[in-house]
Amino acid sequence: MLDSSQLLRFTTAGSVDDGKSTLIGRLLYDSKSIFEDQLQAIEKTSQKKGHEGVDLALFTDGLRDEREQGITIDVAYRYFTTPKRKFIIADTPGHIQYTRNMVTGASTANAAIILVDARHGVIEQTKRHSFIASLLHIPHVIVCINKMDLVDYSEEAYNKVINQFEEFSSKLLIQDIRFIPISALNGDNVVNRSANMDWYQGAPLLHTLETMHISSDINKVDSRFPVQTVLRPQSESHRDYRGYAGRVASGIFRPGDDVTIMPSGFTSKIKSIDTLNGPLKEAFAPMSVSMTLEDDIDISRGDMIVRSNNKPEASQDLDVMLCWLHNDAAKPRAKYSIRQTSNEQKAMIKEVLYKFDINTLERNKEDKELKMNDISKVKIRTTKPLMIDQYRENRTTGSIILIDDATNETVAAGMIV
Amino acid sequence: MSKYYLNYLDELESEAIFILREVWAQFENPVILFSGGKDSILVAHLAKKAFHPAKIPFPLMHVDTGHNFPETIKFRDDIIKELGTKLIVGSVQESIDEGRVAEEKGKNATRNALQITTLLDAIESNKIDCAIGGGRRDEEKARAKERFFSHRDDFGQWDPKNQRPELWNIFNGKHFEGEHFRAFPISNWTEMDVWNYIKRENIAIPSLYFAHEREVVWRQDSWIPNSEFLILEDHEEIVTKKIRFRTLGDITITGGIESDADTLEKIAEEVSGMRQTERGNRSDDKRSESAMEDRKRQGYF
């Protein structure tokens, strides 16, 4: 692996029937990321269950209940590395709490793999997955048309699925979409190019994942630095040091930049950008650094340092696409804690504008109850202003969660529109 | 720098620093769980980076089984001196002496499971609300399900089927009195990433990780080190081998592998060609298919 190798996070959604677990097993197996003792354990379980050969799908089961019931309950993370990149797979289950799990897995992903069974074409589940990928603004979507072996590797079958997909996805906002005909079971076009589909000129899945351009996935224009904590060593060597610790959410900062502290509005200049390895000439997302300013200003967690010529909006009224994640439905006009970057305030859901039917993508303006797995457009009012960007422009400063103060549970996740 | 992207190690580092700072900002009284193994050494190193130029603003905590490699204890004491932080020790021997736990019997007896009680007692008596660990999701299938911020109820128990969703980089560490959190800043690192990073940053690690001559006995498919706690079976024989350890735990359960890797470069190369998982030499994980999940549910690391 090269020192310059990047990290790519992708999510796979679907059920065992789509061959999702087989696909993941295939990627891990063919990239030699499954160890012998893991393989032996799977072989043993496969035999115990009476499966023929090694069931690669078993590799993705984590908890005892999952192994016993043969289902996936929760998002699991898998890792593999090729000489070109390190990959993190957020493997999200298809049936139980699918929206909650998919949204969770999608929230940090550079890419989404959507599996379509070549025999069945685009089904409701495909639409649901594509909708969530679009809603969570995953920069790259790869539609894998799987089980090509069962349709005689036919180009016609492949084109039919693409046409179906393009017909409904025109309503969605997906920046980069690709189609790959595969057979996860036989390994066609997963790691190695398929000898059975000469008509397909594109790259196999792994090569696509290894080479797709992801450096532009993070916003490099709007400079935002949410302050996590203040570093005050008060030691001999750093008596007056006052560093603002945080992770650059987007954009680029350099010493000498004119900055504004929000929400106070005070202005200053960046004096230094520090790390244990020494000062930096510039910091960009997603680097974790400590920033010092020329002036002594009162800054604490929840404040945001931004470039003075490009500020986020400070607002107490947010329009949010909200995914409800908890078993208990939303209480009308109840107060929640809202978290956005390092900022926490109290908030109230003032109005539910409509709810999405995520199977038909239609808006329902009648049913306004927010239940588990619902995705709705709502109006939220906060007690103090949040420094916000639109989620579409900035996944870090445009996202929020709601916490129920009575239980401390995370009950909802939202994207600012 | 002309290209505005981080390589994978820098991105993992930045993520871990972010998590460590979130822990410090969201909790009153966190600690780093420190075993003297490479993962907890890595977490301590990342904490140094997260709070520089200030010192790490919280203590390290060691759950001492009493069955240690002497090298580990020396390494622990040296690193504490270097970091200038406080050390809290939870002693399994004390838990046994106080009758809180009973020692396992038989030749495969270990103090591994006993650590749970000692750990939870130490968390309670020191009023710790977040224990930062070096657990990684690639280590073990139950750990693949862990959150960065992982809730523990007032009995210290983990409920893997009922975890808080974790989205984007927003972490919810809110909890009630008596409950606590475990935080895992290196969740997304693999064993290979850890070694590549240790090599790049030239982080000091105990000599046990490097190939060395040692008296060992072949048991459960690995080389178990000779120690005062070892009970030899009739058919077993102590031999001297050139070995190194891939993971470090209690001396009674940590098996070594035969190796000539005596530098970080050689170790990284050896690990990249390994066909067995690193915990494959840990007899604590071999007891059953869900050994880790069961212990984690009860409050294990």
Side-chain angles (χ1 to χ4, degrees):
Chain A
M1 194 164 181
L2 303 169
D3 289 342
S4 59
S5 294
Q6 284 174 287
L7 174 59
L8 184 143
R9 299 169 202 253
F10 67 94
T11 172
T12 53
S15 58
V16 185
D17 312 332
D18 309 318
K20 181 194 64 154
S21 300
T22 313
L23 177 67
I24 293 173
R26 172 63 62 189
L27 278 171
L28 297 172
Y29 187 73
D30 284 359
S31 65
K32 300 191 170 53
S33 309
I34 296 184
F35 292 98
E36 276 170 14
D37 47 336
Q38 290 172 311
L39 197 61
Q40 278 162 10
I42 298 168
E43 278 171 358
K44 226 165 77 184
T45 313
S46 301
Q47 277 170 10
K48 227 191 297 180
K49 292 195 162 184
H51 294 179
E52 246 177 76
V54 181
D55 185 357
L56 287 178
L58 289 172
F59 185 69
T60 56
D61 293 335
L63 303 172
R64 188 175 36 213
D65 287 356
E66 295 178 324
R67 283 192 297 280
E68 281 169 5
Q69 298 171 34
I71 54 160
T72 323
I73 293 164
D74 198 353
V75 188
Y77 296 89
R78 316 278 162 203
Y79 302 84
F80 71 102
T81 301
T82 71
K84 296 208 178 93
R85 267 186 184 157
K86 173 185 166 85
F87 296 95
I88 302 178
I89 313 176
D91 178 17
T92 64
H95 3 244
I96 300 177
Q97 302 178 351
Y98 47 79
T99 304
R100 170 186 149 131
N101 285 316
M102 258 207 75
V103 167
T104 302
S107 70
T108 51
N110 300 94
I113 293 183
I114 294 173
L115 277 163
V116 180
D117 187 325
R119 295 169 303 171
H120 305 139
V122 170
I123 55 172
E124 274 194 358
Q125 182 177 264
T126 319
K127 295 185 186 173
R128 206 155 68 204
H129 295 166
S130 309
F131 173 63
I132 289 175
S134 146
L135 188 72
L136 271 287
H137 210 61
I138 300 182
H140 313 275
V141 170
I142 304 171
V143 181
C144 285
I145 295 146
N146 192 22
K147 306 197 183 180
M148 288 301 293
D149 52 316
L150 300 181
V151 293
D152 298 326
Y153 297 107
S154 139
E155 185 178 10
E156 205 190 329
Y158 168 73
N159 285 332
K160 202 174 137 198
V161 176
I162 294 182
N163 288 337
Q164 286 176 345
F165 193 91
E166 284 181 337
E167 202 173 306
F168 92 89
S169 68
S170 59
K171 286 185 235 163
L172 303 175
L173 265 175
I174 301 175
Q175 297 157 289
D176 171 25
I177 187 156
R178 306 156 197 238
F179 301 91
I180 306 177
I182 67 165
S183 163
L185 191 66
N186 299 336
D188 291 279
N189 285 338
V190 178
V191 171
N192 302 309
R193 173 169 290 282
S194 168
N196 297 313
M197 290 177 273
D198 292 340
W199 47 264
Y200 173 71
Q201 303 295 320
L205 175 61
L206 184 63
H207 182 79
T208 306
L209 289 168
E210 282 180 329
T211 53
M212 64 170 40
H213 176 75
I214 55 169
S215 305
S216 309
D217 292 357
I218 297 177
N219 177 328
K220 295 283 162 35
V221 177
D222 309 309
S223 301
R224 309 280 186 256
F225 187 77
V227 175
Q228 281 184 281
T229 184
V230 183
L231 303 175
R232 303 202 60 187
Q234 293 169 314
S235 59
E236 291 275 316
S237 52
H238 294 88
R239 189 157 296 284
D240 298 317
Y241 188 91
R242 197 180 164 87
Y244 304 105
R247 193 178 191 193
V248 181
S250 56
I252 301 161
F253 290 94
R254 297 183 184 93
D257 281 353
D258 290 312
V259 290
T260 298
I261 307 352
M262 296 190 68
S264 69
F266 287 119
T267 57
S268 185
K269 263 187 203 312
I270 297 176
K271 187 174 166 189
S272 68
I273 298 172
D274 300 323
T275 70
L276 177 68
N277 299 55
L280 301 177
K281 289 202 181 82
E282 58 184 6
F284 55 88
M287 290 166 72
S288 286
V289 296
S290 165
M291 219 181 256
T292 64
L293 302 180
E294 295 286 356
D295 306 281
D296 228 355
I297 304 175
D298 177 25
I299 302 175
S300 55
R301 178 174 170 85
D303 292 346
M304 196 184 283
I305 299 174
V306 304
R307 286 256 287 273
S308 297
N309 59 4
N310 174 343
K311 288 183 258 184
E313 186 190 348
S315 175
Q316 283 176 263
D317 290 293
L318 321 175
D319 280 3
V320 173
M321 293 299 294
L322 194 72
C323 305
W324 200 258
L325 306 171
H326 202 265
N327 263 324
D328 301 335
K331 287 159 274 182
R333 299 188 69 81
K335 287 191 187 68
Y336 295 95
S337 287
I338 186 168
R339 282 254 174 99
Q340 179 243 8
T341 69
S342 57
N343 199 351
E344 180 176 323
Q345 304 294 343
K346 297 283 180 234
M348 189 168 74
I349 302 169
K350 280 185 69 185
E351 192 185 348
V352 179
L353 298 171
Y354 56 82
K355 191 194 283 194
F356 268 110
D357 180 325
I358 64 166
N359 292 320
T360 61
L361 305 189
E362 275 164 13
R363 296 170 181 190
N364 181 342
K365 293 187 179 167
E366 307 303 315
D367 176 9
K368 299 206 166 166
E369 206 186 352
L370 303 179
K371 297 193 301 286
M372 169 83 106
N373 292 323
D374 281 347
I375 297 175
S376 313
K377 188 168 178 189
V378 303
K379 284 191 174 296
I380 289 177
R381 169 91 182 168
T382 62
T383 46
K384 284 188 182 148
L386 301 180
M387 283 66 73
I388 56 166
D389 292 292
Q390 280 198 12
Y391 182 81
R392 210 196 303 169
E393 303 293 328
N394 198 322
R395 284 172 104 184
T396 309
T397 54
S399 51
I400 60 122
I401 63 167
L402 295 182
I403 300 166
D404 184 343
D405 291 324
T407 60
N408 289 332
E409 296 285 336
T410 303
V411 292
M415 288 138 288
I416 298 167
V417 287
Chain B
M1 207 178 298
S2 58
K3 287 189 189 118
Y4 291 105
Y5 67 84
L6 296 180
N7 76 18
Y8 74 107
L9 286 178
D10 288 328
E11 187 164 343
L12 290 172
E13 178 194 78
S14 172
E15 178 179 82
I17 290 173
F18 178 80
I19 301 291
L20 285 158
R21 288 169 170 174
E22 277 305 289
V23 169
W24 172 235
Q26 292 195 32
F27 294 92
E28 296 285 323
N29 198 14
V31 291
I32 293 176
L33 295 173
F34 189 82
S35 68
K38 66 178 190 314
D39 298 319
S40 59
I41 292 167
L42 171 59
V43 172
H45 178 82
L46 292 163
K48 204 163 98 179
K49 289 204 166 192
F51 301 102
H52 173 82
K55 278 195 243 174
I56 298 174
F58 38 77
L60 271 55
M61 185 162 97
H62 180 218
V63 175
D64 180 357
T65 63
H67 291 170
N68 298 298
F69 287 97
E71 292 94 331
T72 309
I73 298 298
K74 172 157 192 326
F75 190 90
R76 177 195 79 185
D77 294 343
D78 289 348
I79 206 170
I80 290 294
K81 207 180 286 173
E82 188 220 311
L83 296 173
T85 52
K86 203 180 126 198
L87 174 73
I88 298 170
V89 178
S91 162
V92 173
Q93 189 59 53
E94 272 175 33
S95 302
I96 294 169
D97 295 345
E98 288 162 6
R100 301 271 298 132
V101 290
E103 192 109 57
E104 286 183 9
K105 305 265 189 309
K107 78 150 181 165
N108 286 328
T110 79
R111 291 183 165 181
N112 186 274
L114 309 190
Q115 295 178 95
I116 297 170
T117 302
T118 309
L119 170 64
L120 294 178
D121 285 353
I123 284 172
E124 195 179 326
S125 63
N126 291 286
K127 297 193 166 49
I128 288 155
D129 53 2
C130 183
I132 304 161
R136 308 191 321 265
R137 288 169 179 161
D138 82 316
E139 270 182 279
E140 205 281 333
K141 49 192 178 291
R143 284 197 167 156
K145 299 278 174 176
E146 269 290 7
R147 301 291 192 256
F148 280 97
F149 272 36
S150 186
H151 180 259
R152 296 293 181 274
D153 67 16
D154 48 1
F155 294 96
Q157 296 194 323
W158 182 51
D159 183 3
K161 277 165 71 179
N162 200 15
Q163 302 193 74
R164 291 181 188 173
E166 243 169 32
L167 296 103
W168 300 290
N169 294 304
I170 313 178
F171 298 99
N172 172 7
K174 285 181 184 266
H175 58 281
F176 294 108
E177 185 80 32
E179 299 175 345
H180 74 277
F181 266 76
R182 302 288 171 85
F184 300 103
I186 60 166
S187 286
N188 278 333
W189 299 51
T190 62
E191 182 190 18
M192 201 61 241
D193 298 333
V194 172
W195 283 115
N196 282 334
Y197 186 81
I198 288 175
K199 188 175 71 168
R200 187 184 89 172
E201 303 275 307
N202 202 17
I203 301 170
I205 51 169
S207 56
L208 300 157
Y209 283 111
F210 300 97
H212 59 284
E213 302 259 323
R214 183 174 284 265
E215 286 190 350
V216 287
V217 59
W218 185 248
R219 183 181 286 179
Q220 287 193 321
D221 295 330
S222 68
W223 293 107
I224 299 289
N226 189 16
S227 70
E228 56 183 304
F229 314 106
L230 187 77
I231 304 165
L232 220 52
E233 293 272 288
D234 286 346
H235 63 276
E236 287 176 335
E237 184 191 359
I238 288 177
V239 290
T240 300
K241 288 272 171 193
K242 193 165 189 191
I243 64 147
R244 65 173 207 87
F245 297 95
R246 268 178 96 185
T247 68
L248 286 186
D250 190 310
I251 197 167
T252 62
I253 55 162
T254 307
I257 53 166
E258 284 187 73
S259 168
D260 288 318
D262 52 7
T263 63
L264 287 175
E265 284 74 22
K266 286 185 198 168
I267 292 173
E269 191 175 331
E270 186 184 88
V271 170
S272 72
M274 292 274 191
R275 299 309 305 142
Q276 302 281 331
T277 55
E278 61 179 326
R279 295 191 74 94
N281 291 309
R282 291 282 287 261
S283 60
D284 45 336
D285 292 344
K286 288 184 181 171
R287 291 194 167 181
S288 82
E289 199 176 12
S290 54
M292 176 65 92
E293 182 183 338
D294 295 341
R295 281 176 298 156
K296 277 185 69 68
R297 280 173 180 273
Q298 291 164 35
Y300 190 70
F301 303 100

